[in-house]
Amino acid sequence: MKRLKQGCIYLLILAVLSAGAALLFWDLGAECVSVLQTGRGGADYFLTASGEDGNVYALGRRNGRYVIAVGDENGRRLAHWDLTAEGLPAKSCPAALYAASGGAVYLGLYDTGSSAARLQLFRITDRGRSAELLLNEACAGATLTERMAGTRLSAFSEVDSVVTFAVLDQGGAQFYRRTGAASGLELGERVAVADLTAALALPDGSVLTASGGTLRRSDRGERSLAQGAVITELLRAGTGVYCVDGASLKVFYADYADWQPYPILDLEKDGCELDRCMDLTVTRSGAALLLMEDGQLLTDRGGGLTDLSGMLFRPAWQCALILAGLALGVLAVSGGVWYAVCGRRRLQLALLVRWGVLTAAAAALAAGGLARCWAEPAAQAAGERSALELIETAAALELRSDAAWDGGLAVRLGGALAAAEDGMDTDCAVSVYERRDGAWYLTESNTAVPAGTRAELSGGYRAALAGQAGASGRASQLLRREDGSRALCCWTDGGRMLTVDADISAAVARSRAESGWMSGALGALAALMTALALACLCAVTSGVRRVSRGMTRLTAGERGVSVRLDSGDELAALADSFTALSHTMEDMERDRSSLAESYRRFVPERVLSLLGKTSIQEVDKQTVVCRELAAMTISFSFPDEVYEKSGRELFDHVNEILERTAPIVTRSGGAVFNFAYDGYDAVFEGGSAAAVSTAVAVQQETLEINRRREERGEPPVTLRIALDEGSVMIGVVGDETQIEPTSISSSFSAARHLVALCGQLQASILCTEKVIAGAEGYGSRYMGKLREGGALIRTYEIFDGDPYEVRKLKEQTGGQFSEGVYALYAQDFSGAKRIFLKLVHQNADDGGARYYLYLADRLEKHPETEISLDPDR
C-alpha cells in the first residue's frame, strides 16, 4: 500500500511538471513533433533563391524573426541563419532574396511599420548577425498592396563581385550596382519602358527588359517567347538567360550568342499542385525551385520532382533528441522532487507550503491550458469570422452592379477593403480571372502580377477553392501561418472569377485583445480556487502544528506530554494517539537502556558473517573461527609537518584517509580490523582476486585524495599495501564490558614485512606468490625473494594503482626488469648492474630498479651475502 501511494504521488508530480513543460516549451515541442510526423516544422518560408555557389537558400520566419535555411541541390541542410542583425524592420513583408558570392545575401523588404511603405534592401553577412542598408525607396500608391506592386525589385546579377539589380516602377526600371563595401550603392542606367515585368543587367553592360512576352535587349533588339506569353522572372546563368513564362508555365533559355529563346522545362506535371506554389525561381542549372505553402520545397529538373524540404527544418534525429531530452529532464526533475519531498524526506516542507504550492501549480496549469486550448483559439476563430464577413460584404457590394466585371474591379475592391473600419491595409491581393482553354488566366489585379499569367502563379488562387465556388458561387478558406492568418475567398460568375487573398492578422490580433477578459477571468478563477484551498489547508495545519509541537517536546526528552483537540475528526484521534505514545515512551526508556548496553559492544555485520553468527548477542569471547582468507595490510604516512599539527588537525588528516579507503574495502567484500593511526588490516573471503582489485582501487583513490589535498594546499599522503593468502583465525578479544574483533595469522606477519619493504622499493602494492595468481589482468612484475620466518617468499609488485606515467614505464620495461632480477639471482652481479643502471636512467622514479642497483653493487662487493630483498634480516 505504501508503494502504491508513493507511486501515485510520483505520477501526480510527473503530471504537473509535464503539463508545465508542455506549456513552457509548447512551440519547440510542437515543431519537433511536426518534423517527426510530417517532415516539416513550424517555420513558414516565403522566398527561395539559387546561390552563386550552387546552394539553395530559403527565407522564412520563426517566432517573429526572419531565418534563412541553406542547403545543397540534394536537399541536405548546410546552415541555418537567424537574422538577428540590428536595423531590420520589426514589421515587414519580404520582397526579394538573392544569394551573392562570398557568403552574402541580399534581402529586400517592404517596411510596413509606418503609413507609407518603403522598399528597403539589406546586404546580410556574418550568418545573419550583420545587415547593411543599401536602398530605402519610398513607394507610391493608395493602398499597401498597390504601393508594393508599384515599386518592386527585379532580377539580380553578379559579375566579378559587382552586384547589379533594378527597381521597377510605373515609369520603367532604375538600375543600381554595388561595386564594393567602400563605394556603397551606385546609381546606374534608367530604362523607360511601359508595363515592365522584369529587368536584368547583362555581363557586357547591356540591359535586358521584359514586357509581356517580349524580351528587349538594349544592343540586340527584341525577341518574343511565344504567342500570349507573359515573362514573370529573369535569371542570368552562364552564357545565357532563363525566362519563366507565366502563361504557358514553361521555362525558356536564351543564349547570348544566337539570342533565340527556346523552352527547356515544362512546369505542369502530374502530382504538382502549382496553385499551392508561394514562390517560383530558376537555378543556375536550369531547374525550377517551387516553394509550396505547406513548407514543402521541390525542385523540377525536367524528369520529375525532387523534395528538398529536409533543408528547411531541423533533422528528425535532432528533433527526437530534443523531445527525448525534454522527457528525460521532466522525469529527472520529477524523480528529484519526489525523492526530496516524499522518498527519503530529505526536504521537509510545511503542509501548507507543500499542498498550497501543488494547488497553485494545478490551478495555474489549468488556467494556462484553458487559455491556450480554448480562449485563444476561440478569440482567433472570432477574429477570422469577422474578417471573412468584412471581405464577403465588401465583395457583395462590388458585385451587385451589372458592370462590376467590366474593369477596375480588383482596384475598387482592394481600396474598399483597405478603407473599411476594420481595414486590411497590410496585404490584400484582389485578382480577377477569365477561363480560356480549360484554364484560368489573370485579367486584372491590384498586385504586380501581369495580366495573362496563369492563375496558378498569381497567388490567391486554389484549384479546389475555385471548384467549390464554381458549384455554389462562392467559397472561402483560412490559412494559419507563422506570420499570421490569411483568408482566401473566391466568387465565380460563368467564365469569370474573383479572388481575395487577405492578411487578416490585424483582425485576429484585435479579437484576441478584445477577448483578453477570458484569460483574465481564468486567472482570477485560478486565484480564487487557490485562496479557498489555502484557507482549508490553514484550518488543517493548525491542528497538525499543535501535534508537531508536542512531538518536538517529546523528542527533546520531555515525557508525559499531552495534546488535546476538540475537532472530532482524524486530527483529534491523532492527538489522542500521540498522548498515549508519550506515556508509553517512559516504559520503553528502561528497555532502551538495556539494549544500548548490548550495542556498545559493536561488531560489524561483515565480521558477524565471518564468525558464522547472525546476531551480535550470539558473539562472546569463545567465538573463534579459522578460515582460508586473503590478508591485506594497509599503511599510510604523512610528511613530518602533518604530525607536528595539533591533535584535532592530525586526527582530521588520519580520518580522511580512513573514511575514503575503508569503504572501498567494505564494498568489495572485505572485513576491516584493527584501525590505527597509520593503517588497518582486512581479510577477504573472495580470495586473492578480490584483494588485488581492492588494493588497486584503494591506490587509485589515493591518487584522487592527493589531488584534492594539493588543491587545498595540504601535503600528500603515502599509502602502501601488502597482500598474502593463508589460514586466518578470527575471534573477539576484550573484557566483560567491551569486546572487539581481531584476526591472527602468519599471513599478516608477512604482509607487514612486505609493507615495510614497500618503502625501500617505492612500491605501492606488494604481494606474495599465493596472491599473484589473482592479479591476472593487472600490471605486475616479479621483485625477487623475501626471507620470512626462515623461508624465502617470492615477492611481486602490482603497479596498476600507480600514476599513469609511472605505470606505462614499468609496463614498457617489465621484461628488462625481470631479466635483471634473474641475472642477480644467477649471481651475474655485473650484468644485473648494467641492466638496472639502464632502467634507472630510463625511469628515475622506479624505486625497484634503484634498490636492485644498490643491491647488485653490494652483492658484487660481498658475494657471500645471501641474495634476498632484505639481506640484513
Side-chain angles (χ1 to χ4, degrees):
M1 191 65 175
K2 180 180 179 181
R3 291 185 177 180
L4 178 60
K5 180 180 179 181
Q6 290 180 343
C8 292
I9 293 175
Y10 176 76
L11 291 178
L12 178 62
I13 295 173
L14 180 62
V16 172
L17 292 180
S18 298
L23 292 176
L24 185 62
F25 300 100
W26 183 278
D27 294 332
L28 177 61
E31 179 181 3
C32 292
V33 171
S34 177
V35 170
L36 293 176
Q37 290 180 342
T38 65
R40 291 180 285 277
D44 289 332
Y45 287 88
F46 319 106
L47 298 176
T48 60
S50 176
E52 293 286 344
D53 52 6
N55 293 329
V56 177
Y57 294 72
L59 175 71
R61 198 193 321 262
R62 184 175 63 190
N63 299 328
R65 189 167 58 193
Y66 285 111
V67 296
I68 294 179
V70 185
D72 59 19
E73 292 187 348
N74 297 319
R76 185 168 61 92
R77 187 182 178 103
L78 300 178
H80 185 268
W81 298 8
D82 283 317
L83 304 192
T84 58
E86 296 183 0
L88 295 177
K91 187 177 181 182
S92 61
C93 294
L97 179 69
Y98 176 72
S101 61
V105 171
Y106 288 78
L107 175 61
L109 299 174
Y110 288 103
D111 183 1
T112 59
S114 59
S115 57
R118 303 188 70 85
L119 175 60
Q120 297 180 338
L121 179 65
F122 296 88
R123 183 175 183 269
I124 308 297
T125 55
D126 194 18
R127 299 174 66 90
R129 291 184 287 269
S130 299
E132 177 188 2
L133 179 61
L134 300 177
L135 180 70
N136 191 11
E137 187 84 9
C139 302
T143 65
L144 176 61
T145 306
E146 294 178 8
R147 287 192 286 269
M148 291 191 296
T151 306
R152 60 191 188 277
L153 290 168
S154 188
F156 287 71
S157 63
E158 182 176 7
V159 179
D160 297 332
S161 300
V162 177
V163 177
T164 307
F165 64 93
V167 176
L168 305 185
D169 53 30
Q170 298 295 333
Q174 175 63 60
F175 282 87
Y176 296 88
R177 60 178 173 269
R178 184 184 185 276
T179 59
S183 59
L185 202 63
E186 298 179 0
L187 192 65
E189 179 182 359
R190 178 169 181 83
V191 178
V193 179
D195 299 327
L196 273 181
T197 58
L200 177 68
L202 300 180
D204 59 0
S206 60
V207 171
L208 179 64
T209 58
S211 178
T214 302
L215 290 173
R216 294 182 178 86
R217 185 170 168 180
S218 59
D219 60 342
R220 299 287 292 276
E222 298 182 356
R223 290 289 189 275
S224 296
L225 264 64
Q227 182 67 29
V230 177
I231 300 174
T232 59
E233 183 176 352
L234 296 175
L235 175 70
R236 186 189 66 81
T239 59
V241 177
Y242 291 108
C243 313
V244 177
D245 180 11
S248 65
L249 302 182
K250 289 182 172 60
V251 178
F252 288 77
Y253 180 76
D255 191 85
Y256 294 145
D258 58 15
W259 197 239
Q260 181 59 47
Y262 59 91
I264 62 169
L265 183 63
D266 191 348
L267 298 177
E268 284 192 290
K269 287 180 174 60
D270 294 337
C272 180
E273 302 176 4
L274 286 177
D275 58 333
R276 293 172 47 248
C277 181
M278 297 185 59
D279 186 48
L280 168 64
T281 188
V282 183
T283 68
R284 282 158 176 76
S285 61
L289 285 176
L290 305 172
L291 180 61
M292 315 308 283
E293 67 181 13
D294 58 355
Q296 190 177 21
L297 179 61
L298 305 174
T299 179
D300 185 355
R301 296 185 174 90
L305 298 176
T306 303
D307 194 344
L308 307 182
S309 305
M311 62 167 282
L312 301 180
F313 308 103
R314 303 176 190 269
W317 64 265
Q318 190 179 78
C319 293
L321 285 180
I322 291 174
L323 292 178
L326 291 175
L328 289 176
V330 171
L331 288 173
V333 174
S334 300
V337 173
W338 177 88
Y339 183 82
V341 177
C342 303
R344 296 300 180 188
R345 308 294 184 187
R346 299 298 186 190
L347 178 61
Q348 295 292 335
L349 295 177
L351 185 66
L352 180 63
V353 174
R354 176 185 298 177
W355 292 104
V357 169
L358 182 60
T359 303
L365 289 175
L370 287 174
R372 177 175 285 276
C373 301
W374 172 69
E376 292 183 7
Q380 177 157 341
E384 292 170 347
R385 286 195 303 270
S386 174
L388 281 176
E389 291 173 359
L390 172 62
I391 295 173
E392 292 175 353
T393 301
L397 292 175
E398 291 294 333
L399 293 176
R400 67 182 180 179
S401 172
D402 294 336
W405 298 90
D406 293 344
L409 175 60
V411 175
R412 292 197 306 273
L413 181 56
L417 291 173
E421 181 179 356
D422 293 332
M424 302 174 189
D425 194 17
T426 53
D427 186 5
C428 183
V430 183
S431 304
V432 179
Y433 303 92
E434 184 179 35
R435 192 171 183 83
R436 301 194 303 268
D437 300 328
W440 291 100
Y441 291 86
L442 183 70
T443 58
E444 62 172 297
S445 175
N446 66 341
T447 66
V449 181
T453 302
R454 279 279 292 271
E456 288 85 344
L457 299 184
S458 65
Y461 167 81
R462 298 294 182 274
L465 195 65
Q468 296 174 16
S472 60
R474 55 174 291 277
S476 60
Q477 179 183 357
L478 289 172
L479 299 178
R480 293 175 179 174
R481 297 174 55 82
E482 168 74 20
D483 60 333
S485 299
R486 302 191 69 82
L488 301 179
C489 299
C490 180
W491 295 265
T492 60
D493 181 10
R496 298 171 297 186
M497 179 172 62
L498 170 66
T499 66
V500 175
D501 180 2
D503 183 353
I504 59 174
S505 302
V508 172
R510 185 164 46 253
S511 177
R512 285 183 173 178
E514 294 173 353
S515 303
W517 65 269
M518 290 191 293
S519 298
L522 289 173
L525 179 61
L528 178 60
M529 292 176 59
T530 303
L532 291 175
L534 291 178
C536 295
L537 285 172
C538 286
V540 173
T541 54
S542 176
V544 174
R545 194 177 297 112
R546 291 180 62 184
V547 176
S548 177
R549 285 197 295 266
M551 184 64 72
T552 302
R553 292 164 58 193
L554 184 64
T555 56
E558 186 178 348
R559 296 295 177 261
V561 181
S562 299
V563 176
R564 181 177 179 82
L565 295 177
D566 298 324
S567 59
D569 52 17
E570 289 85 349
L571 285 177
L574 177 63
D576 294 340
S577 299
F578 170 78
T579 301
L581 174 64
S582 175
H583 294 299
T584 304
M585 290 288 290
E586 296 182 63
D587 299 330
M588 296 178 62
E589 189 72 27
R590 292 184 295 272
D591 297 335
R592 188 189 65 80
S593 299
S594 177
L595 185 61
E597 289 294 331
S598 298
Y599 280 126
R600 289 193 184 97
R601 300 183 300 171
F602 178 77
V603 177
E605 292 184 3
R606 188 63 186 158
V607 176
L608 285 176
S609 176
L610 292 173
L611 293 172
K613 304 297 182 180
T614 59
S615 172
I616 191 173
Q617 296 177 347
E618 302 175 9
V619 177
D620 55 26
K621 289 186 290 183
Q622 304 302 317
T623 304
V624 177
V625 296
C626 183
R627 306 183 62 175
E628 286 292 320
L629 301 172
M632 171 189 288
T633 294
I634 295 179
S635 175
F636 56 86
S637 62
F638 299 95
D640 293 339
E641 58 187 279
V642 174
Y643 295 106
E644 295 171 359
K645 293 181 179 293
S646 64
R648 178 58 184 271
E649 290 180 307
L650 178 58
F651 272 86
D652 288 341
H653 287 285
V654 172
N655 284 326
E656 178 187 13
I657 309 305
L658 295 176
E659 291 169 357
R660 293 286 294 274
T661 60
I664 298 176
V665 177
T666 303
R667 288 195 299 268
S668 302
V672 178
F673 296 90
N674 307 326
F675 276 118
Y677 75 95
D678 62 346
Y680 53 89
D681 297 331
V683 295
F684 291 85
E685 282 186 290
S688 59
V692 170
S693 63
T694 303
V696 173
V698 169
Q699 284 295 349
Q700 291 175 344
E701 180 67 15
T702 304
L703 297 177
E704 177 64 17
I705 292 172
N706 284 331
R707 185 185 67 80
R708 296 190 178 182
R709 290 178 65 88
E710 181 181 4
E711 292 176 353
R712 300 195 300 264
E714 297 175 351
V717 61
T718 301
L719 189 141
R720 311 293 187 187
I721 302 177
L723 305 172
D724 193 11
E725 185 175 1
S727 178
V728 179
M729 289 190 299
I730 302 175
V732 294
V733 295
D735 55 22
E736 294 300 327
T737 61
Q738 180 178 352
I739 61 173
E740 64 179 31
T742 189
S743 60
I744 301 174
S745 173
S746 60
S747 296
F748 281 109
S749 299
R752 293 186 181 94
H753 191 180
L754 290 175
V755 163
L757 187 60
C758 283
Q760 298 178 18
L761 299 178
Q762 289 189 343
S764 298
I765 305 173
L766 288 180
C767 68
T768 64
E769 188 175 17
K770 295 179 181 180
V771 176
I772 195 61
E776 184 177 355
Y778 293 93
S780 63
R781 62 182 181 178
Y782 175 58
M783 298 298 293
K785 299 177 181 179
L786 175 71
R787 178 165 294 280
E788 174 63 26
L792 291 175
I793 302 175
R794 293 174 66 86
T795 304
Y796 295 81
E797 178 190 7
I798 300 173
F799 50 79
D800 249 30
D802 291 350
Y804 177 79
E805 296 79 6
V806 176
R807 185 169 72 249
K808 293 300 291 183
L809 288 173
K810 287 183 178 180
E811 288 177 353
Q812 295 169 2
T813 60
Q816 300 177 52
F817 188 92
S818 297
E819 182 182 348
V821 172
Y822 289 124
L824 182 73
Y825 280 89
Q827 296 186 346
D828 182 9
F829 304 129
S830 60
K833 283 179 61 178
R834 288 194 301 273
I835 294 173
F836 290 118
L837 182 61
K838 180 179 179 181
L839 291 177
V840 170
H841 281 300
Q842 292 177 351
N843 182 12
D845 294 328
D846 190 344
R850 292 204 311 273
Y851 182 81
Y852 264 111
L853 178 61
Y854 152 78
L855 189 59
D857 181 69
R858 177 179 176 181
L859 291 173
E860 186 178 28
K861 297 176 181 178
H862 304 282
E864 71 282 358
T865 305
E866 182 184 35
I867 303 175
S868 72
L869 289 172
D870 197 356
D872 296 330
R873 184 164 177 169

